[in-house]
Amino acid sequence: TYIGKLILDKSRKERLWDITATVKARQLEDVCRELNEHSLLHTRTEMNNPKYWLIHTYAKGKEESRLIRDIFTKYDAYVIVHEQDAKL
């Protein structure tokens, strides 16, 4: 299974990654500042619970996806990553 996935990953074009994270309100500005420093477009949505915000962004490949995930992980955000069917 691992070898098959490795071969598929090498043979296909880059994919679009849909990344959503829940961050604490007190960390929102820091997270958005880091995303902006790397020119990563994002949207933020206030949640029903004022302690948290939802940040939504897209990545144009695995490397950009890792960068975004690392930023969110740094702030202990809950992260969901989806691979989109669209090829770039």
Side-chain angles (χ1 to χ4, degrees), residues 12-19 40-41 56-66 68 80-88:
R12 69 179 170 189
K13 295 181 179 181
E14 287 292 328
R15 298 282 184 148
L16 183 64
W17 299 86
D18 178 9
I19 305 169
L40 299 167
L41 299 177
H56 188 83
T57 187
Y58 288 97
K60 296 177 266 180
K62 290 180 185 178
E63 291 174 19
E64 203 171 87
S65 175
R66 280 188 208 112
I68 294 168
I80 300 172
V81 180
H82 289 104
E83 182 181 17
Q84 298 296 319
D85 290 334
K87 291 182 183 177
L88 299 177

Side-chain angles (χ1 to χ4, degrees), residues 8-48:
L8 284 174
D9 285 346
K10 295 290 180 187
S11 66
R12 69 179 170 189
K13 295 181 179 181
E14 287 292 328
R15 298 282 184 148
L16 183 64
W17 299 86
D18 178 9
I19 305 169
T20 304
T22 303
V23 298
K24 295 175 183 165
R26 68 177 187 270
Q27 297 174 324
L28 177 67
E29 293 305 319
D30 293 332
V31 173
C32 290
R33 179 185 40 76
E34 283 202 46
L35 292 170
N36 288 332
E37 285 174 0
H38 294 283
S39 301
L40 299 167
L41 299 177
H42 60 281
T43 59
R44 50 187 175 177
T45 306
E46 189 173 10
M47 298 178 71
N48 289 337

